[in-house]
Amino acid sequence: MSLIRINNLQLAFGHVALLDHADFSLEEGERVGLIGRNGTGKSSLLKIVAGLVQADDGDFKRQSGVTTAFVPQEPQFDPELSVFDAVATGLGSAFELLRAYEQVLEEIDDSPAHMERLHELQSRMEETGAWDLQYRVETAISRLSLNAHDKMHSLSGGTRKRVALAAALVQDPQLLILDEPTNHLDMAAIAWLEELLRNHRGALLFVTHDRAFLDSVSTRIVELDRGRLLSFPGNFTAYQTRKAEQLQQEQVERAKFDKLLSQEEVWIRKGVEARRTRSVARIARLQTMRSERAARREQVGQVKLDLNVGERSGKRVAELEDVSQRFGDKIVVDHFTTKIMRGDKIGLLGPNGAGKTTLLKIILGELQPDAGTVTLGTNLNVAYFDQMRAQLNEDATLVDTINPGSEWIEIGSQRKHVMSYLTDFLFSPERANSPVKSLSGGERNRLLLARLFARPANVLVLDEPTNDLDIETLELLEELLQDYSGTVFLVSHDRQFLDNVVTQTIVAETEAGPGQWREYVGGYYDWLRQRPKSFAKAVDKNEKVVAKAEPAKPKVKLSYKEQRELDGMQAQIAALEQEQQNIATQLSQGDIYRTQPEQAKALAQRASEIETLLLQLLERWEALEAKADGS
C-alpha cells in the first residue's frame, strides 16, 4: 500500500522548473535512494514529502496516520539543550515522561504523595515502553560518537547533523526522510547506519551521493532528471546499467525526431507550387514538433575538470622516522614510520577525532612532532581542499574567489578566461559576479574545486572533497585524480571513492592502542581484507559493526578513458591479426628471402612485434574486463 503518492507535481524557482509534472509513489517497506545533479531540486522534493513545503501545483496524498521523521542537511536545535535532551526530543510525549521521572527522582522527599507520584510515573513508563526508549536514545548517542552531556551551542555543524540523525532514528517512524545522512559520519558510524536502515521496519526516502551506501541500503533508485522522476528497481549498480541503456535509447529517438523535423522544415520552405498543395494537418504537425523541440530540456552538461600540476616535486615527498605526537594526555601518533614518494595516492582512514589532520600536518611539515624526525622532499607545492570551506569569503564574487585581480587563468600550457573557466564548473556567466553566500553546499564544493585546480600544485590535500558533490562530478573527479601525476592525500569516508583513487592507506588502528597507525596496500576494502584477524575480532562495538557490514568488493566502474580503451581494443586486435595474416602470406612465398632479403627481415621482425603487441593487448583486455566485472 502506498504511504505517499505524487501526481503531476510542479515546482519552480524563477524560470527553472525543478519538478515538471512529476509522478512518484512510495510503498510500505521500500528504501528509495533519490539521486540527481546538484541544484535539480532533490532537497525540495524531500521537504514536500515531509510536509514542510508546498508544491506549486499537482496532487500530493499521504496515507492517514503515517508518522514521519525528517533530517535536513542543516538541522536546527535549541542551543541550550544537552545532546541527550536533543536526541530524546524525537520521542515526543515519551520524552516529557522521561524528564518528569528524572525530576521526581532528583527530589529528596519520602512523603507518601511523592512516592505515589514516583510509582505512577514508573507504571506509565512501563506501559508506554519508555524504559526501552531511554535505552534507544543512549544507544544512538553511543553509536554516533556523541557526548550526552555536551550542549548544542558548543557543537560543530557535523556533530549537530549526527544529533539530528539520532533524534530521528529513536522515533522508529513509518517514513524516515534523510538528506545526505552520511556527511560527517566516520566509517564505523556509516556501517552501523547502513545496518540499522536495512533493518528499519518503515519506509525510507533518502538523498545521498555515497554510492556504496546506495548499493547497501536502497531497494529502488529514483532519479530527478530535468524535472521528471525516473524509477529504477534495485540498487545503484543496477541503476547504472539501466540508465546507460535508457540514455542510449533516448539519443536514438531524439536523433530520429530531429531528422524528421529537419525534413519537415525543408518541405515547408519549398517553392510556391509545393506550398499550394501542402496539407493543413502536416503544417499543424510541424508546428507541434517545433514546440516539442523548443520545450525539450537537454541533459545538464558535465563539469570539465583539469589539474595544473606545475613543476614536479622531488622523488621523495616526506619521510617519517619513529614519530610521536600527543596533546596533553591524549596520544595521537605513537612511534610511526613511513616514506611517501612522488605519485603516491594516500588515503587516511580512522574514526572522527583519531588525528588524521594532525598526522597530515606532520607529514607536510606544518607541525613539528614531539619525538622522531620528519624529512621533507624538495620543490613541494601543496594545495588544500578544506572540508569546512573556511577558504571561501562569503561576500566575494565567484570571479574574485577563483582569480582575484586577473581575468585569465593558466592551466598548464593553456590560458583560459575566468568566465570560460567557471563555465567548465557549471557556473553560468550570469552568476559569475554573484556572492559566494548565494551558493548551495554542492555549488560551494564545486567552486572550491575550481579554485584548487586553478593553481599549480604537485601535492593535493583533499579533506572530505566528496561531501555535497553529485555522483557524476564524483566520477569525473575520480578519473582526474587517477591520471594526476602528483601526490595525493585523501581524507574521506566515501568508501568507493577511496577504492577508486588511492593506491595505499594509512589507518588509525585504535584497537591496537592510542596513536597506532599502520600502512596497507590499496583502498578501503583492501584494508578490510588485509588487517590482522585480531583487529577484525576486536570487542570494540564500532569495529564489530564494520566487520559485520563488510560487503563483497563492489563492481568498479571503468573510467571514461578506460572504457574508450576497452571499446577500441577489439578493432585494434582485429587490425593486428589481419596484418599478421598478410605478413604470413608474404613470407610464405619462399622467393622473397632470395629476391628481397631486407624486406623479408623487416617483415619477420614486424611479425614478432605484432605477437608481443597482441599478448599485451589481450592481457590488458582481460584486466579491464575483470575490473568491470569486479573480479
Side-chain angles (χ1 to χ4, degrees):
M1 184 175 182
S2 295
L3 294 180
I4 61 168
R5 183 172 293 278
I6 288 171
N7 293 307
N8 208 30
L9 210 66
Q10 299 178 62
L11 180 69
F13 286 141
H15 67 285
V16 178
L18 297 180
L19 297 174
D20 188 5
H21 301 279
D23 298 320
F24 171 67
S25 65
L26 182 64
E27 305 299 318
E28 292 181 359
E30 273 198 303
R31 301 191 298 270
V32 175
L34 178 62
I35 65 174
R37 299 299 296 267
N38 288 332
T40 55
K42 300 186 298 295
S43 293
S44 297
L45 178 60
L46 292 189
K47 290 175 182 177
I48 289 173
V49 174
L52 302 176
V53 171
Q54 284 192 337
D56 297 334
D57 199 3
D59 296 324
F60 173 60
K61 295 180 180 178
R62 183 198 307 270
Q63 188 185 123
S64 177
V66 170
T67 57
T68 302
F70 172 57
V71 180
Q73 287 193 41
E74 303 294 339
Q76 301 295 324
F77 287 96
D78 181 342
E80 297 305 318
L81 283 179
S82 68
V83 166
F84 185 93
D85 287 350
V87 174
T89 56
L91 302 176
S93 59
F95 166 63
E96 300 299 331
L97 187 58
L98 281 172
R99 291 280 71 80
Y101 178 70
E102 289 178 356
Q103 289 173 5
V104 171
L105 280 180
E106 291 173 359
E107 297 174 7
I108 304 175
D109 188 349
D110 294 331
S111 67
H114 179 266
M115 297 306 295
E116 183 180 351
R117 172 64 173 159
L118 183 62
H119 290 311
E120 177 191 350
L121 288 171
Q122 287 175 335
S123 299
R124 288 177 59 194
M125 289 179 71
E126 289 175 1
E127 291 171 2
T128 59
W131 298 114
D132 293 335
L133 294 177
Q134 181 168 3
Y135 173 74
R136 278 163 50 188
V137 171
E138 292 168 348
T139 301
I141 287 173
S142 173
R143 290 299 193 187
L144 288 165
S145 303
L146 299 167
N147 186 328
H149 304 292
D150 285 345
K151 293 294 186 181
M152 293 303 298
H153 64 73
S154 68
L155 304 182
S156 66
T159 308
R160 287 197 299 271
K161 180 67 171 286
R162 297 206 303 274
V163 172
L165 186 57
L169 292 173
V170 298
Q171 298 180 49
D172 194 24
Q174 292 170 278
L175 173 55
L176 181 58
I177 305 171
L178 306 175
D179 196 352
E180 295 290 359
T182 64
N183 279 6
H184 311 295
L185 298 185
D186 58 32
M187 289 175 178
I190 291 173
W192 170 78
L193 180 61
E194 285 178 350
E195 184 177 27
L196 184 143
L197 294 179
R198 286 196 299 267
N199 295 325
H200 180 60
R201 292 173 297 178
L204 174 66
L205 176 62
F206 64 100
V207 169
T208 185
H209 300 129
D210 186 324
R211 293 157 291 177
F213 190 86
L214 280 165
D215 257 349
S216 176
V217 175
S218 60
T219 58
R220 179 160 61 110
I221 300 294
V222 171
E223 181 182 22
L224 180 51
D225 182 20
R226 290 161 283 177
R228 300 295 179 91
L229 293 168
L230 309 175
S231 183
F232 300 84
N235 62 10
F236 183 71
T237 299
Y239 153 78
Q240 287 181 302
T241 302
R242 288 173 172 265
K243 181 63 175 179
E245 295 171 352
Q246 183 192 75
L247 287 176
Q248 185 176 11
Q249 182 62 30
E250 181 179 294
Q251 188 175 9
V252 170
E253 294 298 327
R254 287 191 169 185
K256 290 179 180 177
F257 179 92
D258 291 344
K259 183 177 180 180
L260 178 59
L261 176 59
S262 177
Q263 291 171 347
E264 293 299 290
E265 292 287 5
V266 170
W267 170 79
I268 199 69
R269 292 182 178 85
K270 282 184 178 179
V272 174
E273 186 62 31
R275 285 200 296 272
R276 288 189 187 132
T277 59
R278 64 192 178 190
S279 69
V280 175
R282 192 169 179 181
I283 294 172
R285 186 180 71 168
L286 174 58
Q287 291 173 339
T288 301
M289 291 178 71
R290 284 174 174 173
S291 299
E292 287 180 18
R293 183 63 182 84
R296 183 194 297 172
R297 296 182 65 184
E298 301 292 349
Q299 189 175 18
V300 180
Q302 291 186 336
V303 177
K304 299 176 184 177
L305 302 181
D306 195 11
L307 268 174
N308 190 355
V309 180
E311 296 182 18
R312 294 175 67 181
S313 68
K315 189 173 182 180
R316 180 181 63 183
V317 173
E319 186 170 356
L320 279 63
E321 184 68 34
D322 206 28
V323 165
S324 295
Q325 178 68 43
R326 68 166 62 217
F327 296 105
D329 295 331
K330 182 178 181 180
I331 302 173
V332 179
V333 183
D334 188 19
H335 300 285
F336 179 60
T337 298
T338 187
K339 182 184 288 186
I340 309 297
M341 307 301 290
R342 181 181 64 224
D344 285 349
K345 295 180 175 64
I346 312 293
L348 278 86
L349 308 184
N352 292 334
K356 298 185 290 291
T357 301
T358 298
L359 182 58
L360 260 178
K361 288 181 177 179
I362 292 173
I363 292 173
L364 297 173
E366 297 177 3
L367 176 66
Q368 290 299 314
D370 295 334
T373 59
V374 178
T375 305
L376 295 179
T378 58
N379 196 32
L380 299 183
N381 194 350
V382 184
Y384 293 86
F385 181 96
D386 178 16
Q387 177 189 10
M388 302 311 293
R389 307 186 185 98
Q391 302 171 28
L392 295 178
N393 180 349
E394 292 286 309
D395 296 319
T397 65
L398 274 60
V399 169
D400 288 339
T401 300
I402 296 297
N403 207 30
S406 175
E407 294 183 352
W408 297 93
I409 296 172
E410 302 288 340
I411 306 292
S413 59
Q414 188 179 9
R415 191 167 184 253
K416 272 194 172 184
H417 194 276
V418 67
M419 291 290 193
S420 174
Y421 184 70
L422 282 169
T423 302
D424 289 345
F425 287 81
L426 304 185
F427 293 110
S428 65
E430 294 79 15
R431 300 192 66 187
N433 291 310
S434 300
V436 169
K437 59 187 175 186
S438 67
L439 302 181
S440 67
E443 288 172 329
R444 289 177 183 227
N445 263 16
R446 285 212 311 270
L447 184 64
L448 265 180
L449 288 175
R451 173 172 165 160
L452 179 74
F453 297 163
R455 289 154 174 73
N458 50 40
V459 177
L460 286 180
V461 179
L462 305 174
D463 188 2
E464 295 292 355
T466 64
N467 285 350
D468 300 320
L469 290 182
D470 58 58
I471 291 170
E472 290 183 27
T473 306
L474 279 180
E475 292 175 346
L476 288 167
L477 181 58
E478 283 176 354
E479 184 178 331
L480 182 73
L481 294 175
Q482 288 166 359
D483 295 336
Y484 178 59
S485 60
T487 306
V488 176
F489 293 95
L490 175 62
V491 177
S492 176
H493 297 133
D494 188 320
R495 294 152 292 178
Q496 189 165 343
F497 189 82
L498 281 163
D499 259 25
N500 291 345
V501 171
V502 305
T503 57
Q504 64 196 87
T505 53
I506 298 177
V507 184
E509 299 281 18
T510 54
E511 301 79 11
Q516 295 298 311
W517 296 84
R518 286 182 172 83
E519 288 186 272
Y520 294 88
V521 175
Y524 173 76
Y525 291 105
D526 296 308
W527 161 64
L528 286 181
R529 285 192 294 271
Q530 295 176 64
R531 62 185 179 163
K533 292 181 180 178
S534 59
F535 295 160
K537 295 179 180 178
V539 178
D540 179 83
K541 292 181 180 178
N542 284 345
E543 184 61 25
K544 283 174 67 180
V545 170
V546 174
K548 185 174 181 181
E550 177 185 348
K553 187 164 183 177
K555 186 173 179 180
V556 178
K557 183 180 178 182
L558 296 179
S559 70
Y560 176 75
K561 288 184 178 179
E562 287 175 330
Q563 188 62 56
R564 286 192 63 185
E565 181 184 1
L566 181 60
D567 292 341
M569 275 186 176
Q570 190 170 355
Q572 284 182 272
I573 291 172
L576 286 172
E577 287 177 338
Q578 183 61 51
E579 186 182 356
Q580 188 180 47
Q581 184 177 349
N582 293 339
I583 290 174
T585 301
Q586 294 180 64
L587 292 178
S588 66
Q589 301 170 5
D591 60 345
I592 190 173
Y593 293 95
R594 177 177 53 81
T595 59
Q596 297 175 290
E598 294 298 322
Q599 176 69 7
K601 182 178 178 181
L603 287 172
Q605 184 176 349
R606 177 57 181 165
S608 177
E609 292 173 356
I610 289 174
E611 190 68 29
T612 301
L613 286 171
L614 282 172
L615 285 173
Q616 292 173 347
L617 275 172
L618 289 170
E619 286 176 358
R620 178 60 174 162
W621 190 1
E622 184 178 353
L624 289 175
E625 289 279 11
K627 180 178 179 181
D629 292 336
S631 58

